[in-house]
Amino acid sequence: MLKIEARGYESKFWRYASPILALLLTGATSGLIFAAMDRPPVLTVYTFLIVPLLEQDGFQALAVKAAPLIMMGVGLSLAYRANVWNIGTDGQFTLGAICGGGIALAFPDAPSLALFPAIVAGGIIGGMLNGGLVAWLRIRFNANEILTSLMFAYITQYLLVYLVTGPWRDPEGFGFPQTALFSDNALAPRLIEDTNVHIGVLLAPLIAIALWVMLEKTLLGFQFRVLGQATRAARFAGFNENRLVWVAMLISGGLAGLAGVLEATGTLGQLTTTLSPGYGFTAIIVSFLGRLNPIGVIPAGLLLALTYLGGDAAQINLGLPNAVTGIFQGILLFYLLGCDILLLNRIRWVRSKPKAA
């Protein structure tokens, strides 16, 4: 019979092999689900994971989709390494877009050199306000940040719905829940002309590299790592736990706000009720798939971005519901958490002893 035994140490091999095994199991399980839906499993998985890259401008679309996931995943990897469980990046993403979008709508004729930096600053501050409030509630009232950050995500979503269906609704938008289009001066600079490849595509990997340097090469990063691995030891060493909670939430919230405002000004060009298709929650999977390492978040973000494009391709080509994206991501997270048991444990086959007569 199979028996799970503790290793007594963390396996370096399984630290990096676990995500690969989880991905393979996810592909196999998804194929079985597609077969149960009367779809050819191999063709469906191929359509889901390969076809989007073969289309014209497929890699450009992938980079644009991955940029917000990488930014938020990097911020979450930092917070989770410090045992600060920010689950509400979708709300920080949305509030960042609201704050930056509000500036864009208020000053449409301002010069671009002044307007766009102000929009970006507004987005970052919006995300930091959300994250900072969660940190304050944890420190002041010992409120669980998992619950408070998650609840704020719903609050900000309803705030967005109120604004785009009420005071900010486009008077010429035929009643649709959206704001007017942002002026050209408010749009994110394009890296490739006449495409949606905006400056966020370049910023995302640079932010990941910068956060990796901070985590691995600075005293602050060392404090984050110690706080996450041994809270009592961090306190004994004199590390200011409250300050580290503040910094972790402000950085992760600010990066989510930056991702939100760049999505609004770089991809959509306005605010709508469908601003985020769940990027904040997908970013949680990205951070764990990347092993809570900012560099590892980059390929993880690209993979999860591919699932969004694959869901669209499967919907168009095979008539599958768009919900297959969420199914794939959920299965991946399930297997990732399951396979991580191999980090500290090994599975052995043990012969059962025959019972005595």
Side-chain angles (χ1 to χ4, degrees):
M1 63 177 181
L2 295 176
K3 183 179 180 181
I4 298 177
E5 294 182 346
R7 295 180 186 273
Y9 61 93
E10 182 177 299
S11 170
K12 292 183 178 180
F13 171 79
W14 282 109
R15 181 162 184 79
Y16 300 101
S18 172
I20 297 174
L21 176 60
L23 182 60
L24 293 174
L25 291 173
T26 300
T29 304
S30 299
L32 293 176
I33 293 174
F34 295 146
M37 298 172 69
D38 293 328
R39 299 296 194 282
V42 176
L43 175 62
T44 306
V45 173
Y46 175 81
T47 302
F48 197 75
L49 296 178
I50 304 298
V51 166
L53 300 178
L54 302 180
E55 296 180 355
Q56 186 178 10
D57 301 330
F59 284 97
Q60 292 181 12
L62 179 66
V64 171
K65 210 75 170 175
L69 295 176
I70 293 172
M71 290 182 192
M72 288 188 284
V74 166
L76 289 178
S77 68
L78 169 68
Y80 295 163
R81 291 278 287 271
N83 260 343
V84 180
W85 298 98
N86 181 8
I87 307 297
T89 45
D90 214 54
Q92 292 143 26
F93 175 95
T94 301
L95 190 58
I98 290 173
C99 293
I103 296 173
L105 293 171
F107 305 100
D109 298 324
S112 180
L113 289 178
L115 181 57
F116 183 70
I119 291 171
V120 170
I124 294 173
I125 291 171
M128 292 176 73
L129 284 173
N130 191 312
L133 185 54
V134 172
W136 179 74
L137 289 172
R138 167 173 163 166
I139 293 167
R140 181 66 178 82
F141 300 103
N142 198 29
N144 188 303
E145 70 271 20
I146 295 175
L147 297 178
T148 54
S149 61
L150 182 59
M151 292 302 101
F152 279 132
Y154 292 106
I155 292 171
T156 52
Q157 177 61 33
Y158 283 120
L159 175 62
L160 175 65
V161 171
Y162 164 73
L163 291 173
V164 300
T165 58
W168 289 5
R169 176 184 281 182
D170 181 7
E172 299 178 1
F174 303 101
F176 287 100
Q178 61 190 29
T179 66
L181 292 172
F182 298 148
S183 66
D184 291 343
N185 292 344
L187 298 179
R190 295 299 192 266
L191 299 180
I192 302 177
E193 195 172 350
D194 297 327
T195 70
N196 279 338
V197 183
H198 55 79
I199 194 171
V201 172
L202 177 62
L203 286 177
L206 293 179
I207 290 171
I209 294 170
L211 263 291
W212 178 84
V213 172
M214 189 272 280
L215 266 175
E216 302 295 334
K217 305 296 182 181
T218 68
L219 176 60
L220 180 61
F222 174 72
Q223 291 177 341
F224 279 126
R225 300 200 309 273
V226 173
L227 180 64
Q229 295 172 4
T231 303
R232 289 185 178 180
R235 293 169 181 166
F236 183 77
F239 297 164
N240 190 328
E241 181 180 356
N242 289 346
R243 183 176 74 91
L244 294 175
V245 171
W246 271 108
V247 173
M249 284 303 306
L250 290 176
I251 290 177
S252 60
L255 288 177
L258 174 62
V261 76
L262 289 177
E263 182 72 10
T265 61
T267 304
L268 301 178
Q270 62 184 159
L271 296 178
T272 71
T273 55
T274 56
L275 174 71
S276 170
Y279 283 149
F281 301 108
T282 303
I284 297 173
I285 305 175
V286 169
S287 65
F288 280 103
L289 189 62
R291 305 281 78 182
L292 302 184
N293 184 316
I295 300 299
V297 164
I298 297 175
L302 290 168
L303 174 63
L304 269 297
L306 181 60
T307 64
Y308 282 108
L309 300 179
D312 293 339
Q315 186 177 20
I316 295 171
N317 298 335
L318 300 174
L320 286 170
N322 199 40
V324 296
T325 299
I327 293 173
F328 186 93
Q329 293 176 355
I331 294 172
L332 177 58
L333 179 61
F334 174 81
Y335 276 127
L336 184 62
L337 296 175
C339 291
D340 275 356
I341 195 176
L342 298 173
L343 291 174
L344 299 175
N345 302 275
R346 61 168 59 91
I347 299 176
R348 294 182 58 190
W349 175 264
V350 179
R351 285 187 181 181
S352 58
K353 295 181 181 180
K355 295 182 180 180

